[in-house]
Amino acid sequence: MRRALLLLAVAAVDAGMPPSPPMSTSFKFVFTATRDPEADAVQLAEVVLYDTNDSPIEILTASNPGGSPPVCPVFSVCQSEMPDMAVDGNIDTHWTDYGEGCYGRACPEGVPHTSSLVLSLVNNSQVGSYKFVTANDRPHRDPVAWTFGRLLP
């Protein structure tokens, strides 16, 4: 069982990194590459946001606008692959998205594989850092490139 943990500080201006996004109640990750460029999806077991004091930020919901969740019968195993599974506090579940672009399908030239995860917060917050925990299967689906920022109301 392989699992990777990635903790990123968003506010490390003195280290040459961009500043933290301003305060918001919604933030968005756009995943643009996976460990294997030919992967059919992107997946994560858990995402945790931290404020500028390193305290966890309470996440209300996770969504995957324009994404392609797994097609499966109700109450089947793949029900654990919906967006909220990335913020449920359980590293034994995970979110999987087959992409806004063309994961698992032939992309038209110039159309990137992308996948979005929008996190809606309980309170207006400033994100100082975040942590990803990758799923314990299919490492070729691990994200390796993404953007992160706030969504305007």
Side-chain angles (χ1 to χ4, degrees):
M1 187 187 303
R2 183 209 55 81
R3 201 177 303 273
L5 175 67
L6 179 60
L7 178 62
L8 294 170
V10 180
V13 176
D14 57 347
M17 293 183 67
S20 294
M23 293 183 74
S24 185
T25 56
S26 295
F27 289 87
K28 181 178 183 177
F29 289 96
V30 177
F31 300 98
T32 57
T34 53
R35 187 174 309 279
D36 177 352
E38 301 300 318
D40 62 342
V42 63
Q43 66 182 27
L44 282 172
E46 203 65 28
V47 177
V48 181
L49 302 179
Y50 297 95
D51 65 20
T52 55
N53 295 316
D54 294 327
S55 296
I57 297 172
E58 190 174 354
I59 299 171
L60 184 63
T61 61
S63 62
N64 180 217
S68 299
V71 176
C72 57
V74 177
F75 304 116
S76 67
V77 173
C78 69
Q79 287 295 308
S80 66
E81 297 182 1
M82 303 309 283
D84 279 332
M85 297 297 111
V87 296
D88 65 354
N90 181 354
I91 63 171
D92 292 322
T93 62
H94 61 269
W95 159 69
T96 302
D97 179 32
Y98 291 88
E100 293 174 3
C102 40
Y103 280 109
R105 301 180 290 285
C107 282
E109 190 170 332
V111 175
H113 290 266
T114 63
S115 184
S116 300
L117 186 65
V118 174
L119 305 178
S120 298
L121 311 182
V122 172
N123 298 304
N124 199 31
S125 301
Q126 183 175 22
V127 175
S129 62
Y130 51 84
K131 173 177 74 174
F132 293 156
V133 178
T134 61
N136 63 356
D137 63 349
R138 298 186 174 102
H140 63 283
R141 294 179 173 174
D142 293 349
V144 296
W146 58 88
T147 60
F148 175 71
R150 74 178 174 137
L151 290 178
L152 298 174

